[in-house]
Amino acid sequence: MEVLSQSQIDDLLNSLTTGAMDLDTDVDDISKKVKEYDFRTPKRFTKEQLKIVSSVYENFARLLSSYLTGMLRLYVEIECVHIEETRYSDFNNALPDSVMMALGEVQFSGSSEDSNTIMLDLSKTISFAIIERLLGGTGDGLDVDREFTEIELSLMENVFRGTFPQMSDAWSNYFELDVLFRKIETNARLMQAISADDTVVVVMLDIKMKDLQGAASVCVPAVCLEDILKKIDSQYMRNLKRINSAGDKERRELVMNYLQESDLELRCVIGEAQVNLKDIIYLNVGDVIQLSKPVNSLIDLDVGKSCWFKGKMGIQRGKKAIQIKEVL
């Protein structure tokens, strides 16, 4: 931090009193750099984590498109268009009173039963178009504003039972889990599966059928999603360690293959003795040098300058040889 001198402080005060400095302009410049942040709902996921979730539900959109196309015998185009982190109360307040909402349960190793609810909301336009098509209609949709009948709810229940396994398959590229259908809700104000202040991640899907266009939304509690992402991170680290260990093994084998062709000096050390230079000068044939080892002791077999083996002297096919007794 730079400390202003007294003269600089006087100049600054004079400029303020004379109007040479425009405070409004400076405040506007500063406000442009300010980013709003709601401390009541701090962000719990990084951009990288949301990219993983977005990738999962892009895959889910493709799987669901194929599933509905095969069921309805009508081309259904589904696209993942938006993902956001928000409070459940904000998500629920944005829904109309009458909805077609399927509640599911996420199951995986270590999951908590209190925070594994997942919701899939389908717009009425698409819901009535699916029902019409299943009952033999053209799939053009019905422009009606009424509650669903028991027969219609039964038909949609079968549709949702086949929809949630597609979500399980979408997650399988990252982590193995099961998403099971539990029930259908048609009144958004009566759903209390998630606390109003809890953070959720909402994925918006755009659906097109013939000339109709509607939307679907997937609501995942942050607590459940955090557990899944932690599992993915730990699984990724385990796989990375496994890959690294396999790579280390291959590198060791490669190094050993190169070393196997190397030439090394192999020396047999029968024993050691300390002799004066005078005695060595006067050595003659038949003289005896006393070594530091007994006659029946094992001798050292050195590779380079290190002792690797211990063995015993002998004769093999008329030549002196060493039989290895110990590996050091």
mmCIF file of all heavy atoms in Angstrom, residues 194-223:
data_model
loop_
_atom_site.group_PDB
_atom_site.id
_atom_site.type_symbol
_atom_site.label_atom_id
_atom_site.label_comp_id
_atom_site.label_asym_id
_atom_site.label_seq_id
_atom_site.Cartn_x
_atom_site.Cartn_y
_atom_site.Cartn_z
ATOM 1 N N ILE A 194 -38.278 -31.623 -0.290
ATOM 2 C CA ILE A 194 -37.035 -30.867 -0.100
ATOM 3 C C ILE A 194 -37.370 -29.603 0.675
ATOM 4 O O ILE A 194 -38.397 -28.956 0.426
ATOM 5 C CB ILE A 194 -36.394 -30.508 -1.458
ATOM 6 C CG1 ILE A 194 -36.129 -31.777 -2.273
ATOM 7 C CG2 ILE A 194 -35.087 -29.749 -1.253
ATOM 8 C CD1 ILE A 194 -35.609 -31.511 -3.673
ATOM 9 N N SER A 195 -36.492 -29.238 1.620
ATOM 10 C CA SER A 195 -36.710 -28.029 2.412
ATOM 11 C C SER A 195 -36.623 -26.789 1.517
ATOM 12 O O SER A 195 -35.845 -26.748 0.555
ATOM 13 C CB SER A 195 -35.679 -27.942 3.532
ATOM 14 O OG SER A 195 -35.808 -26.728 4.247
ATOM 15 N N ALA A 196 -37.413 -25.764 1.857
ATOM 16 C CA ALA A 196 -37.489 -24.564 1.020
ATOM 17 C C ALA A 196 -36.156 -23.852 0.903
ATOM 18 O O ALA A 196 -35.845 -23.258 -0.141
ATOM 19 C CB ALA A 196 -38.551 -23.617 1.573
ATOM 20 N N ASP A 197 -35.332 -23.872 1.954
ATOM 21 C CA ASP A 197 -34.057 -23.152 1.940
ATOM 22 C C ASP A 197 -32.907 -23.987 1.416
ATOM 23 O O ASP A 197 -31.775 -23.496 1.334
ATOM 24 C CB ASP A 197 -33.717 -22.655 3.358
ATOM 25 C CG ASP A 197 -34.695 -21.586 3.834
ATOM 26 O OD1 ASP A 197 -35.204 -20.849 2.967
ATOM 27 O OD2 ASP A 197 -34.937 -21.500 5.044
ATOM 28 N N ASP A 198 -33.146 -25.239 1.076
ATOM 29 C CA ASP A 198 -32.077 -26.099 0.570
ATOM 30 C C ASP A 198 -31.656 -25.666 -0.833
ATOM 31 O O ASP A 198 -32.471 -25.194 -1.633
ATOM 32 C CB ASP A 198 -32.518 -27.562 0.529
ATOM 33 C CG ASP A 198 -32.551 -28.177 1.917
ATOM 34 O OD1 ASP A 198 -32.096 -27.507 2.861
ATOM 35 O OD2 ASP A 198 -33.041 -29.310 2.056
ATOM 36 N N THR A 199 -30.375 -25.853 -1.111
ATOM 37 C CA THR A 199 -29.843 -25.547 -2.440
ATOM 38 C C THR A 199 -30.080 -26.728 -3.371
ATOM 39 O O THR A 199 -29.901 -27.888 -2.975
ATOM 40 C CB THR A 199 -28.343 -25.237 -2.359
ATOM 41 O OG1 THR A 199 -28.133 -24.152 -1.461
ATOM 42 C CG2 THR A 199 -27.786 -24.866 -3.722
ATOM 43 N N VAL A 200 -30.486 -26.433 -4.591
ATOM 44 C CA VAL A 200 -30.706 -27.472 -5.597
ATOM 45 C C VAL A 200 -30.038 -27.055 -6.899
ATOM 46 O O VAL A 200 -29.734 -25.874 -7.106
ATOM 47 C CB VAL A 200 -32.212 -27.714 -5.839
ATOM 48 C CG1 VAL A 200 -32.889 -28.258 -4.602
ATOM 49 C CG2 VAL A 200 -32.901 -26.432 -6.312
ATOM 50 N N VAL A 201 -29.812 -28.027 -7.750
ATOM 51 C CA VAL A 201 -29.317 -27.769 -9.104
ATOM 52 C C VAL A 201 -30.435 -28.123 -10.080
ATOM 53 O O VAL A 201 -30.975 -29.237 -10.040
ATOM 54 C CB VAL A 201 -28.049 -28.594 -9.405
ATOM 55 C CG1 VAL A 201 -27.665 -28.466 -10.877
ATOM 56 C CG2 VAL A 201 -26.897 -28.138 -8.524
ATOM 57 N N VAL A 202 -30.814 -27.173 -10.905
ATOM 58 C CA VAL A 202 -31.925 -27.344 -11.841
ATOM 59 C C VAL A 202 -31.375 -27.408 -13.266
ATOM 60 O O VAL A 202 -30.628 -26.525 -13.694
ATOM 61 C CB VAL A 202 -32.940 -26.193 -11.714
ATOM 62 C CG1 VAL A 202 -34.088 -26.399 -12.697
ATOM 63 C CG2 VAL A 202 -33.470 -26.103 -10.286
ATOM 64 N N VAL A 203 -31.752 -28.465 -13.981
ATOM 65 C CA VAL A 203 -31.339 -28.652 -15.374
ATOM 66 C C VAL A 203 -32.569 -28.468 -16.255
ATOM 67 O O VAL A 203 -33.585 -29.145 -16.061
ATOM 68 C CB VAL A 203 -30.734 -30.048 -15.596
ATOM 69 C CG1 VAL A 203 -30.267 -30.206 -17.039
ATOM 70 C CG2 VAL A 203 -29.587 -30.300 -14.635
ATOM 71 N N MET A 204 -32.489 -27.547 -17.195
ATOM 72 C CA MET A 204 -33.614 -27.257 -18.088
ATOM 73 C C MET A 204 -33.421 -27.985 -19.417
ATOM 74 O O MET A 204 -32.351 -27.911 -20.030
ATOM 75 C CB MET A 204 -33.729 -25.749 -18.331
ATOM 76 C CG MET A 204 -33.922 -24.925 -17.071
ATOM 77 S SD MET A 204 -35.418 -25.380 -16.166
ATOM 78 C CE MET A 204 -36.672 -25.020 -17.393
ATOM 79 N N LEU A 205 -34.491 -28.666 -19.862
ATOM 80 C CA LEU A 205 -34.482 -29.396 -21.123
ATOM 81 C C LEU A 205 -35.545 -28.815 -22.043
ATOM 82 O O LEU A 205 -36.663 -28.503 -21.597
ATOM 83 C CB LEU A 205 -34.756 -30.885 -20.889
ATOM 84 C CG LEU A 205 -33.822 -31.623 -19.921
ATOM 85 C CD1 LEU A 205 -34.320 -33.044 -19.703
ATOM 86 C CD2 LEU A 205 -32.401 -31.636 -20.445
ATOM 87 N N ASP A 206 -35.215 -28.699 -23.311
ATOM 88 C CA ASP A 206 -36.157 -28.218 -24.323
ATOM 89 C C ASP A 206 -36.617 -29.418 -25.150
ATOM 90 O O ASP A 206 -35.781 -30.205 -25.642
ATOM 91 C CB ASP A 206 -35.488 -27.169 -25.218
ATOM 92 C CG ASP A 206 -36.459 -26.579 -26.211
ATOM 93 O OD1 ASP A 206 -37.450 -25.987 -25.764
ATOM 94 O OD2 ASP A 206 -36.226 -26.729 -27.429
ATOM 95 N N ILE A 207 -37.943 -29.584 -25.303
ATOM 96 C CA ILE A 207 -38.519 -30.749 -25.983
ATOM 97 C C ILE A 207 -39.333 -30.293 -27.186
ATOM 98 O O ILE A 207 -40.155 -29.368 -27.079
ATOM 99 C CB ILE A 207 -39.415 -31.562 -25.018
ATOM 100 C CG1 ILE A 207 -38.620 -31.982 -23.781
ATOM 101 C CG2 ILE A 207 -39.984 -32.790 -25.726
ATOM 102 C CD1 ILE A 207 -39.457 -32.733 -22.761
ATOM 103 N N LYS A 208 -39.121 -30.953 -28.333
ATOM 104 C CA LYS A 208 -39.879 -30.656 -29.545
ATOM 105 C C LYS A 208 -40.499 -31.940 -30.077
ATOM 106 O O LYS A 208 -39.820 -32.950 -30.245
ATOM 107 C CB LYS A 208 -38.969 -30.044 -30.610
ATOM 108 C CG LYS A 208 -38.394 -28.692 -30.236
ATOM 109 C CD LYS A 208 -37.486 -28.156 -31.330
ATOM 110 C CE LYS A 208 -36.893 -26.799 -30.939
ATOM 111 N NZ LYS A 208 -35.966 -26.284 -31.984
ATOM 112 N N MET A 209 -41.836 -31.892 -30.332
ATOM 113 C CA MET A 209 -42.585 -33.006 -30.926
ATOM 114 C C MET A 209 -43.445 -32.449 -32.049
ATOM 115 O O MET A 209 -44.327 -31.615 -31.796
ATOM 116 C CB MET A 209 -43.487 -33.674 -29.883
ATOM 117 C CG MET A 209 -42.765 -34.457 -28.810
ATOM 118 S SD MET A 209 -43.924 -35.141 -27.581
ATOM 119 C CE MET A 209 -45.070 -36.017 -28.630
ATOM 120 N N LYS A 210 -43.157 -32.862 -33.261
ATOM 121 C CA LYS A 210 -43.878 -32.333 -34.416
ATOM 122 C C LYS A 210 -43.842 -30.808 -34.375
ATOM 123 O O LYS A 210 -42.783 -30.213 -34.391
ATOM 124 C CB LYS A 210 -45.310 -32.888 -34.446
ATOM 125 C CG LYS A 210 -45.362 -34.393 -34.619
ATOM 126 C CD LYS A 210 -46.764 -34.920 -34.789
ATOM 127 C CE LYS A 210 -47.364 -34.574 -36.131
ATOM 128 N NZ LYS A 210 -48.669 -35.220 -36.374
ATOM 129 N N ASP A 211 -45.013 -30.159 -34.276
ATOM 130 C CA ASP A 211 -45.040 -28.693 -34.234
ATOM 131 C C ASP A 211 -45.134 -28.152 -32.809
ATOM 132 O O ASP A 211 -45.286 -26.949 -32.622
ATOM 133 C CB ASP A 211 -46.238 -28.164 -35.045
ATOM 134 C CG ASP A 211 -46.116 -28.525 -36.518
ATOM 135 O OD1 ASP A 211 -44.967 -28.643 -36.995
ATOM 136 O OD2 ASP A 211 -47.167 -28.701 -37.173
ATOM 137 N N LEU A 212 -45.042 -29.042 -31.830
ATOM 138 C CA LEU A 212 -45.155 -28.635 -30.430
ATOM 139 C C LEU A 212 -43.779 -28.410 -29.823
ATOM 140 O O LEU A 212 -42.807 -29.069 -30.190
ATOM 141 C CB LEU A 212 -45.898 -29.699 -29.619
ATOM 142 C CG LEU A 212 -47.347 -29.973 -30.010
ATOM 143 C CD1 LEU A 212 -47.901 -31.105 -29.162
ATOM 144 C CD2 LEU A 212 -48.195 -28.723 -29.836
ATOM 145 N N GLN A 213 -43.717 -27.499 -28.899
ATOM 146 C CA GLN A 213 -42.482 -27.244 -28.172
ATOM 147 C C GLN A 213 -42.823 -27.061 -26.694
ATOM 148 O O GLN A 213 -43.719 -26.300 -26.335
ATOM 149 C CB GLN A 213 -41.755 -25.998 -28.700
ATOM 150 C CG GLN A 213 -40.406 -25.771 -28.032
ATOM 151 C CD GLN A 213 -39.571 -24.740 -28.765
ATOM 152 O OE1 GLN A 213 -39.948 -24.255 -29.831
ATOM 153 N NE2 GLN A 213 -38.420 -24.396 -28.201
ATOM 154 N N GLY A 214 -42.116 -27.778 -25.842
ATOM 155 C CA GLY A 214 -42.342 -27.685 -24.402
ATOM 156 C C GLY A 214 -41.023 -27.789 -23.665
ATOM 157 O O GLY A 214 -39.939 -27.716 -24.264
ATOM 158 N N ALA A 215 -41.110 -27.965 -22.366
ATOM 159 C CA ALA A 215 -39.905 -27.984 -21.537
ATOM 160 C C ALA A 215 -40.024 -29.058 -20.462
ATOM 161 O O ALA A 215 -41.125 -29.501 -20.110
ATOM 162 C CB ALA A 215 -39.673 -26.617 -20.898
ATOM 163 N N ALA A 216 -38.885 -29.452 -19.975
ATOM 164 C CA ALA A 216 -38.798 -30.342 -18.820
ATOM 165 C C ALA A 216 -37.674 -29.820 -17.935
ATOM 166 O O ALA A 216 -36.725 -29.187 -18.425
ATOM 167 C CB ALA A 216 -38.534 -31.785 -19.249
ATOM 168 N N SER A 217 -37.776 -30.081 -16.654
ATOM 169 C CA SER A 217 -36.735 -29.649 -15.723
ATOM 170 C C SER A 217 -36.436 -30.763 -14.737
ATOM 171 O O SER A 217 -37.348 -31.452 -14.269
ATOM 172 C CB SER A 217 -37.157 -28.373 -14.986
ATOM 173 O OG SER A 217 -38.342 -28.581 -14.260
ATOM 174 N N VAL A 218 -35.162 -30.929 -14.440
ATOM 175 C CA VAL A 218 -34.709 -31.913 -13.467
ATOM 176 C C VAL A 218 -34.146 -31.158 -12.273
ATOM 177 O O VAL A 218 -33.278 -30.295 -12.432
ATOM 178 C CB VAL A 218 -33.633 -32.843 -14.066
ATOM 179 C CG1 VAL A 218 -33.211 -33.887 -13.038
ATOM 180 C CG2 VAL A 218 -34.157 -33.512 -15.328
ATOM 181 N N CYS A 219 -34.655 -31.478 -11.087
ATOM 182 C CA CYS A 219 -34.225 -30.809 -9.857
ATOM 183 C C CYS A 219 -33.504 -31.822 -8.977
ATOM 184 O O CYS A 219 -34.094 -32.833 -8.568
ATOM 185 C CB CYS A 219 -35.435 -30.216 -9.131
ATOM 186 S SG CYS A 219 -35.044 -29.459 -7.542
ATOM 187 N N VAL A 220 -32.212 -31.543 -8.687
ATOM 188 C CA VAL A 220 -31.387 -32.448 -7.880
ATOM 189 C C VAL A 220 -30.925 -31.709 -6.630
ATOM 190 O O VAL A 220 -30.341 -30.626 -6.745
ATOM 191 C CB VAL A 220 -30.165 -32.952 -8.668
ATOM 192 C CG1 VAL A 220 -29.426 -34.019 -7.877
ATOM 193 C CG2 VAL A 220 -30.579 -33.486 -10.027
ATOM 194 N N PRO A 221 -31.155 -32.236 -5.425
ATOM 195 C CA PRO A 221 -30.678 -31.566 -4.211
ATOM 196 C C PRO A 221 -29.159 -31.465 -4.196
ATOM 197 O O PRO A 221 -28.452 -32.384 -4.650
ATOM 198 C CB PRO A 221 -31.179 -32.474 -3.082
ATOM 199 C CG PRO A 221 -32.279 -33.274 -3.681
ATOM 200 C CD PRO A 221 -31.941 -33.432 -5.126
ATOM 201 N N ALA A 222 -28.650 -30.359 -3.681
ATOM 202 C CA ALA A 222 -27.201 -30.142 -3.658
ATOM 203 C C ALA A 222 -26.496 -31.174 -2.802
ATOM 204 O O ALA A 222 -25.395 -31.616 -3.123
ATOM 205 C CB ALA A 222 -26.898 -28.732 -3.151
ATOM 206 N N VAL A 223 -27.124 -31.585 -1.694
ATOM 207 C CA VAL A 223 -26.490 -32.561 -0.804
ATOM 208 C C VAL A 223 -26.277 -33.877 -1.525
ATOM 209 O O VAL A 223 -25.206 -34.499 -1.436
ATOM 210 C CB VAL A 223 -27.355 -32.772 0.459
ATOM 211 C CG1 VAL A 223 -26.756 -33.848 1.342
ATOM 212 C CG2 VAL A 223 -27.501 -31.467 1.223
#
